[in-house]
């Protein structure tokens, strides 16, 4: 026997050993049971429990279609998925975020869901949310959880300064927010600040909050290509943050490079009266705040566009290589029924995109700011840029260092505009060549 034949025979034996009792695709056993792998990125214990409970409920009711829960991690999901896609080992069901989907969608790794999802699920999620997972003519993920940026505030300090407590119906404006910062800092005294801005990731904060002031930065030219333009509305949020840090000295410079969790000890200790954070940070505050700490969840300031705010929802997708796309879509329909979407939202301390779920009374209680978040949810819109090809490179190589230097005082607004637009359009042009 020739060496080639020996290798072929050995490979065949090895394949049989590796697949065991699995079927030809490795996902269907000889007993006819279809097995789907669901990679979840849930990390808070309440969220992990909710995800696993729903998987167990599905498996109990569907003995012929069993779902295996696989734990993933937000820290490494992009590289891990890319490796699994290229190696033909991707999970059938994929938990990710809309701002991570573009390359996978355009690369052909994700299934177009338009012919797979139920009419109920399609109708239950607003069109603007579907816009976060639409690339070209296809839909490549179900947006199911969203997280606005809110202001976590020390109610006691706000009362001492005599400032008005804003609501979603009557929010602060950006100029009012700056003035309140001055009043708070004057009352709090030296070494303490009205605001801590955790800007370790400055791009998403600047762009998403910028929608409230009418900023977009990313626009579509007549030929459909994306172009960058820095208008007056784009300057409102960065200008406010820079003024509070440099001119007014009402925001702490020390927190500009911090993550959200890094600011919480200072918040609890009264060093900062307010911290703009993602909605899910309420879970950490509720668990870690000292006994008797009086805190309140406030909407972010409003601008020319009201409380409009960009978000990149968490998503659920189906791998293009999955041999059981229809069964995977059936699981998604179950997993995202309104009552289940409420369980997932409460487990993650976030808000559902589902219209029916968002109306659930459990998400409108004043406790921990749920009602304020639900009111703000009506104003959430797709983040301005993640669907644009070339956005990841622009964000990492152009925007992040430019915003960091601007907020630190190293460059002025004119230089920020030049870098974001001139340097940015050169990046986008490479991705949009015909």
């Amino acid at each position: 026997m020739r060496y080639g034949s020996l290798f072929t025979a050995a490979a065949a034996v090895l394949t049989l050993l590796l697949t065991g009792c699995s079927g030809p695709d490795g996902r269907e056993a000889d007993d006819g049971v279809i097995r789907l792998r669901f990679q979840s990125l849930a990390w808070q214990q309440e969220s992990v429990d909710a995800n696993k409970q729903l998987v167990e409920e599905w498996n109990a009711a569907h003995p012929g279609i069993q779902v295996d829960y696989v734990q993933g991690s937000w820290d490494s999901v992009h590289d891990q998925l890319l490796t699994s896609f290229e190696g033909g080992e991707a999970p059938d069901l994929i938990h990710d975020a809309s701002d991570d989907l573009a390359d996978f969608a355009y690369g052909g790794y994700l299934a177009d869901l338009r012919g797979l999802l139920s009419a109920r699920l399609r109708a239950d999620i607003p069109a603007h949310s579907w816009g976060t997972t639409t690339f070209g003519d296809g839909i490549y993920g179900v947006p199911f959880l969203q997280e606005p940026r809110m202001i976590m505030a020390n109610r006691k300090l706000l009362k001492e300064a005599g400032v008005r407590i804003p609501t979603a119906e009557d929010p602060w404006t950006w100029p009012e927010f700056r003035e309140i910062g001055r009043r708070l800092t004057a009352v709090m005294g030296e070494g303490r600040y009205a605001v801590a801005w955790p800007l370790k990731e400055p791009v998403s904060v600047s762009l998403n909050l910028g929608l409230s002031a009418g900023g977009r930065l990313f626009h579509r030219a007549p030929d459909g290509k994306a172009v960058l333009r820095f208008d007056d509305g784009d300057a409102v949020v960065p200008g406010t943050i820079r003024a509070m840090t440099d001119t007014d000295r009402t925001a702490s410079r020390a927190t500009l490079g911090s993550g959200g969790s890094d600011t919480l000890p200072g918040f609890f200790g009264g060093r900062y009266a307010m911290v703009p954070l993602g909605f899910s940070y309420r879970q950490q505050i509720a668990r870690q705040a000292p006994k008797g700490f009086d805190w309140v969840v406030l909407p972010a300031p409003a601008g020319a566009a009201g409380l409009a705010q960009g978000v990149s929802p968490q998503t659920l997708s189906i791998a293009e290589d999955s041999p059981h796309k229809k069964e995977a879509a059936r699981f998604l329909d179950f997993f995202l029924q309104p009552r289940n979407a409420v369980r997932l939202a409460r487990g993650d301390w976030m808000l559902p995109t589902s219209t029916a779920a968002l109306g659930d009374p459990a998400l409108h209680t004043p406790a921990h700011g749920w009602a304020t978040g639900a009111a703000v949810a009506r104003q959430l819109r797709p983040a301005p840029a993640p669907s644009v090809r070339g956005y990841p490179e622009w964000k990492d190589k152009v925007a992040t260092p430019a915003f960091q230097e601007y907020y630190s005082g190293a460059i002025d607004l004119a230089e920020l505009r030049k870098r974001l637009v001139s340097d940015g359009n050169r990046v986008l042009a490479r991705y949009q060549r015909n």
Side-chain angles (χ1 to χ4, degrees), residues 244-331:
M244 296 181 82
T245 305
D246 269 8
T247 307
D248 304 340
R249 304 296 176 91
T250 58
S252 170
R253 180 184 293 274
T255 65
L256 292 177
S258 301
S261 298
D262 300 328
T263 63
L264 293 183
F267 179 52
F268 297 150
R271 182 173 174 81
Y272 317 122
M274 299 182 289
V275 186
L277 293 170
F279 196 54
S280 66
Y281 275 90
R282 298 169 305 127
Q283 192 263 6
Q284 288 188 53
I285 297 173
R287 299 288 187 271
Q288 299 173 12
K291 186 176 181 180
F293 183 72
D294 188 11
W295 60 286
V296 61
V297 180
L298 309 176
L307 288 174
Q309 188 178 145
V311 291
S312 298
Q314 292 187 25
T315 58
L316 293 170
S317 301
I318 298 174
E320 175 61 27
D321 284 347
S322 172
H324 302 298
K325 296 183 182 68
K326 290 183 179 179
E327 292 80 3
R330 284 181 60 192
F331 173 75

Side-chain angles (χ1 to χ4, degrees), residues 145-147 279-280 282 314 345-346 348-352 370:
L145 289 176
Q146 53 192 346
E147 181 175 25
F279 196 54
S280 66
R282 298 169 305 127
Q314 292 187 25
R346 288 180 63 83
D348 248 329
W349 291 66
M350 297 177 72
L351 296 166
W370 279 108

Side-chain angles (χ1 to χ4, degrees), residues 40 75 107 110 122 132 143 145 162 173 178 186 197 199 212 225 229 236 287 326 400 426:
S40 170
D75 293 336
L110 301 178
R122 288 288 301 271
T132 65
L145 289 176
T173 64
R178 185 178 172 187
W197 283 98
L199 294 178
S212 66
K225 292 182 179 179
R229 189 174 71 241
V236 171
R287 299 288 187 271
K326 290 183 179 179
T400 295
R426 283 194 288 271

Side-chain angles (χ1 to χ4, degrees), residues 2 8 22 68 92 125 128 158 187 198 245 255 277-278 288 312 344 347 367 416:
R2 294 178 302 190
T8 301
S22 297
D68 296 327
D92 301 89
I125 296 175
H128 63 258
L158 265 60
V187 170
T245 305
T255 65
L277 293 170
Q288 299 173 12
S312 298
L344 293 168
L416 174 67

Side-chain angles (χ1 to χ4, degrees), residues 367-386:
H368 298 142
W370 279 108
T372 302
V376 169
R378 294 192 292 268
Q379 307 295 324
L380 301 181
R381 296 294 179 266

Side-chain angles (χ1 to χ4, degrees), residues 102-415:
D103 289 344
F104 296 145
Y106 287 119
Y109 296 122
L110 301 178
D112 183 352
L113 302 179
R114 287 177 297 173
L116 295 170
L117 301 178
S118 70
R120 179 207 66 78
L121 184 55
R122 288 288 301 271
D124 189 33
I125 296 175
H128 63 258
S129 293
W130 286 116
T132 65
T133 59
T134 299
F135 304 96
D137 295 327
I139 295 174
Y140 296 93
V142 182
F144 73 110
L145 289 176
Q146 53 192 346
E147 181 175 25
R149 192 167 294 270
M150 311 289 282
I151 296 176
M152 310 301 164
N154 183 320
R155 195 194 321 252
K156 179 176 179 289
L157 292 177
L158 265 60
K159 287 182 177 179
E160 289 177 355
V163 302
R164 178 178 70 85
I165 303 295
T167 65
E169 295 71 32
D170 188 15
W172 290 329
T173 64
W174 284 104
E176 188 178 7
F177 180 57
R178 185 178 172 187
E179 173 58 29
I180 284 168
R182 297 189 190 102
R183 291 170 58 184
L184 272 167
T185 303
V187 170
M188 293 170 67
E190 187 176 354
R192 302 168 76 196
Y193 299 89
V195 183
W197 283 98
L199 294 178
K200 187 176 182 179
E201 299 289 340
V203 180
S204 61
V205 176
S206 305
L207 267 62
N208 290 340
L209 288 180
L211 286 184
S212 66
R216 284 205 60 85
L217 202 61
F218 286 80
H219 302 266
R220 290 287 175 182
D223 61 3
K225 292 182 179 179
V227 293
L228 287 153
R229 189 174 71 241
F230 194 97
D231 298 327
D232 290 345
D234 296 298
V236 171
V237 172
T240 300
I241 296 173
R242 171 75 174 261
M244 296 181 82
T245 305
D246 269 8
T247 307
D248 304 340
R249 304 296 176 91
T250 58
S252 170
R253 180 184 293 274
T255 65
L256 292 177
S258 301
S261 298
D262 300 328
T263 63
L264 293 183
F267 179 52
F268 297 150
R271 182 173 174 81
Y272 317 122
M274 299 182 289
V275 186
L277 293 170
F279 196 54
S280 66
Y281 275 90
R282 298 169 305 127
Q283 192 263 6
Q284 288 188 53
I285 297 173
R287 299 288 187 271
Q288 299 173 12
K291 186 176 181 180
F293 183 72
D294 188 11
W295 60 286
V296 61
V297 180
L298 309 176
L307 288 174
Q309 188 178 145
V311 291
S312 298
Q314 292 187 25
T315 58
L316 293 170
S317 301
I318 298 174
E320 175 61 27
D321 284 347
S322 172
H324 302 298
K325 296 183 182 68
K326 290 183 179 179
E327 292 80 3
R330 284 181 60 192
F331 173 75
L332 286 184
D333 190 66
F334 160 80
F335 194 73
L336 297 177
Q337 289 177 13
R339 64 178 181 274
N340 294 338
V342 173
R343 293 165 65 181
L344 293 168
R346 288 180 63 83
D348 248 329
W349 291 66
M350 297 177 72
L351 296 166
T353 59
S354 160
T355 301
L358 194 59
D360 192 287
L363 302 182
H364 290 264
T365 173
H368 298 142
W370 279 108
T372 302
V376 169
R378 294 192 292 268
Q379 307 295 324
L380 301 181
R381 296 294 179 266
S387 63
V388 174
R389 301 209 71 178
Y391 169 74
E393 181 179 340
W394 173 83
K395 177 184 175 183
D396 293 343
K397 296 183 178 180
V398 176
T400 295
F403 274 117
Q404 287 174 337
E405 290 185 46
Y406 174 72
Y407 288 133
S408 71
I411 62 174
D412 60 13
L413 188 65
E415 180 64 17

